[in-house]
Amino acid sequence: METNAALLELCPEPLDLGVPDHWQHPGRTRPTPLAAAPAPAPASAPGRPDIRPTPVPLFVVPVGSTPPHGPGTALSPDSCPDLNGHSRATLDAASRGRLLARLPDRVSAAMAAAGHWELYGTRGLLIVACGEEARQMGFSVESVRPGASLPHTPYEVLTEQEARTAAGRPAAERERLVTRYWVRKDAALQAVGGGLSLAPERIEAGFPGDRGTVLVPGPQGLEAPVLVRNFTFSASYEFAVATPEPLALTPSFAYSVR
C-alpha cells in the first residue's frame, strides 16, 4: 500500500476560503470543495428540540518530501505510520513540540489550541482529529496500491461473504474493496474502544454505498451498533469514520493541505 503524496488531489471544505496561506502552491487553482459529511437525521421527541450533530474537526495532511518550513523540518512519508494511534496524551512534550513544528501552521495552531487530538497515519498521509469528541469516534486510513494483483490487506480480516465478494471482483478493484472493508472494521472497533482485541472477521462491513451500520460483538452476546462512513478525498486512500449509535457526531473537514 504505497503512494506518492505529491500526486494527491485533496478536496477541502472551504471553511477558510479566501484566507491567504503561504504554504499553498502559488498560481494553483484551489480544488473543488469536498462534499459535506452526510449528517444523521435529527432525532426528536415530544417536548424536546431536535438533536443537531456535533462537528469534529479533521485535518487531512499529505506528507511529501518538500519541507513546509525549511530544510530538514518536514515529516517524511514513511514517518506517518509511526504516528498512527498516538494522541496528545501519548506523546511527551518534546515529541509534541517536534511534531507541531513539522506540520503546516494552520494544523499546528489548531492542535496547540485543542485540549485533545488524535493522529491517524499511513504512508504519505496524516489525519488529525481535534477536540474531546474525537475520543468517541473511530478513524482509519490506509493507502491503496493501484493495480495490485493480490490484496495487500489480508483476507483473514474479512467475513466469508466479504471474501466471496472481493474474490469475484477484477484484480484492479479487489485491493480497494478489501482495504475499504478493513478501514470500516478498524474504525468501528476504535469507536467502541475494542481495538484489535476483537476479531475483525466477526464484523460484517460489506454494506453497499458509503455509509452503513455495523454490529461490533460485545460482552455477554451483546452487539454494539456503529455508524460507519467512508469519505473519498483521494484515489490513493481509503478512509472511514465510525460513531457508536445513537451519538450525534459528524466529521468536519476543516482544512486540507497539499
Side-chain angles (χ1 to χ4, degrees), residues 131-150:
E132 291 297 324
E133 291 81 4
R135 300 177 190 270
Q136 299 176 287
M137 300 181 77
F139 306 87
S140 184
V141 61
E142 288 286 356
S143 56
V144 179
R145 182 180 300 165
S149 58
L150 293 174

Side-chain angles (χ1 to χ4, degrees), residues 36-42 180 184 205-214 226-231 240-241 243 245 247 249-251:
R180 183 174 301 155
R184 289 173 178 176
F207 57 82
D210 292 329
R211 59 185 290 157
T213 297
V214 304
V226 181
L227 173 66
V228 181
R229 288 164 282 185
N230 289 96
F231 296 92
V241 178
T243 309
E245 295 182 334
L247 288 180
L249 300 174
T250 188

Side-chain angles (χ1 to χ4, degrees), residues 122-212:
T122 186
R123 188 181 189 278
L125 191 78
L126 187 66
I127 292 178
V128 183
C130 288
E132 291 297 324
E133 291 81 4
R135 300 177 190 270
Q136 299 176 287
M137 300 181 77
F139 306 87
S140 184
V141 61
E142 288 286 356
S143 56
V144 179
R145 182 180 300 165
S149 58
L150 293 174
H152 185 73
T153 303
Y155 268 88
E156 285 76 9
V157 305
L158 305 181
T159 64
E160 291 184 6
Q161 178 60 47
E162 290 166 349
R164 286 194 298 269
T165 301
R169 294 293 182 88
E173 301 176 15
R174 200 174 302 143
E175 169 72 5
R176 176 168 300 282
L177 185 62
V178 174
T179 305
R180 183 174 301 155
Y181 289 160
W182 161 243
V183 296
R184 289 173 178 176
K185 295 166 186 270
D186 187 31
L189 288 168
Q190 291 180 35
V192 299
L196 293 180
S197 61
L198 295 173
E201 67 270 19
R202 296 176 60 192
I203 300 172
E204 178 63 57
F207 57 82
D210 292 329
R211 59 185 290 157

